[in-house]
Amino acid sequence: MTISLQPSASPLAGDAPPALEVRGLVKHYPGVKALDGVDLFVREHEVLGLAGENGAGKSTLLKALVGIVRPDAGEIWVRGEKVKLRSVVDAANHGIGMVFQEQSLVPNLTAAENIVLGSEGPGVRRGLYRWDTMRRLAQEQLDKIGSPIDPLARTDTLSFADRQMVEIAKVLRIEERTSHPPVIILDEPTSVLESKEIETLFTQVRRLREFASVIFVSHRLDEVLDVCDRVAVLRGGQSVGEVPTHGADPGVLHQMMIGSTGSEDHYHDTAIERPGERREPRLVVRGLSGKTFQDVNFEVGAGEILGIVGVHGSGREDVCRALFGAEPTSCGEVTLDGRKLELTGTRAACAAGVGYIPSERKVEGMVGPMSVADNMTLSKQKSRCAGPIVVPRKQAALVDSWIERLSIRTPNRGTAIQRLSGGNQQKVVLARWLVAGDVRLLLLDHPTRGLDIGARSEVYRLMRELANAGVATVLLADSLEEAIGMSDRILVMSDGRATTEVACPSGGKPTPLDLVREMV
């Protein structure tokens, strides 16, 4: 097996030009370099796998390829021609289409309407649908991938796997805009599919290779190795190498993805006040089951940080949400400090002393137009009220003290939180539970996602302070290094079940590869 540990090189000059090529692509966001000179190419009729941890730059790269994001530097070439992709329409006109992880179909329309939406052509005359023509146009695309879906079926009556086929058929309409084979990008297409549905999808991907080039993105490396010809790896916004999938070793790919582990100082490991022996469990989970997880069991002691790791779709995010009452459960029992924790809703969880930092900070973790002060005191209204009346002076003194203590960079407490940097927004969200003062269990779902290295270090410090104060913490980390650096123990989940527990003591940490062997 040949492995390149350098950024991928273009094909030799004598070869036919790649279907799609990226040269030195760069994209900056405030405080972070999402793409840092990425090189990548996919040949005609090839399935290229794209791998990398969360935050590696995959999403930004894909958005640049379909005209959603404009790179700051670098070049994109399509079949030997340098192009500027200023919109999704631009990309489609060059034969590039993408099936997004979050499906983009309109549920109350038929499959045919979704497939031709925006490119109806002869399917519409004088503002009216010509249903026979619409059905024929849609059927042509469905036949390309061998799908038996009725074009006139309402989309919301189809299974997720069938809707995925409609998405692919919809993207294939870009063939009408170019005389060349298209380039189809599949972003995490198997994330919520069952094994039988995944095999059906793989069959369609192999069909696609006959008349298109495919970029296949997945966190599941066994899938990448199964369906792709090559796999390119990104890490930290850079191209770190590529591997031909024939005979490839998943362990080598993981090593390329994760690189070296971070230093303990970065994770404030020396700030831990370790008890002489393991404390009594504060959180006890027994037989917890829900839609995407089954029979999950674990314990977390007071002042302990338990990391939960697993590939995308392992169920760990839904377990975390279930413990906060935001995801339904079907059976199981959860106790907090010996008392049964009712998982009936988020209000009951807050009342019981459970705090939650969601992964989608801007969607679920804060109210953008509201002030820093109002966001910080959302979960503890009594901290700013006298009875039912808000007392501004009472709120101001409390909020100002936490702004100073956490070094939150904001013009003042009345500034809208959406105006702050990502790291300072996350400090405010964390401060919400510090203000509450009675949090006993803190659930952290990717608390450092989208933060630069300095902001991450600050969040780690706050996590240590909370643990030293006796708060039990469940951490869904953004990377394996983060889970290892911050956790006292690590629980591995796979396919909705807790499969292994790994000790993670200071001075005796496992390696990322140790965890990978348990995850796949």
Side-chain angles (χ1 to χ4, degrees), residues 439-483:
V439 172
R440 294 177 288 162
L441 169 65
L442 187 58
L443 309 168
L444 302 177
D445 187 355
H446 296 83
T448 62
R449 177 172 288 171
L451 305 186
D452 61 35
I453 189 168
R456 284 172 180 258
S457 184
E458 284 296 302
V459 171
Y460 298 150
R461 180 180 61 80
L462 293 177
M463 290 170 59
R464 294 296 189 200
E465 286 187 10
L466 289 166
N468 288 339
V471 175
T473 303
V474 174
L475 170 65
L476 307 189
D478 220 31
S479 67
L480 293 179
E481 293 105 324
E482 183 175 275

Side-chain angles (χ1 to χ4, degrees), residues 341-362:
L341 181 62
E342 298 293 342
L343 305 178
T344 54
T346 58
R347 180 171 295 183
C350 288
V354 182
Y356 174 59
I357 307 294
S359 59
E360 295 294 336
R361 175 177 64 249
K362 294 186 178 181

Side-chain angles (χ1 to χ4, degrees), residues 59-75:
S59 295
T60 303
L61 174 60
L62 299 185
K63 290 176 182 178
L65 294 178
V66 292
I68 296 174
V69 164
R70 296 189 188 184
D72 300 319
E75 301 173 348

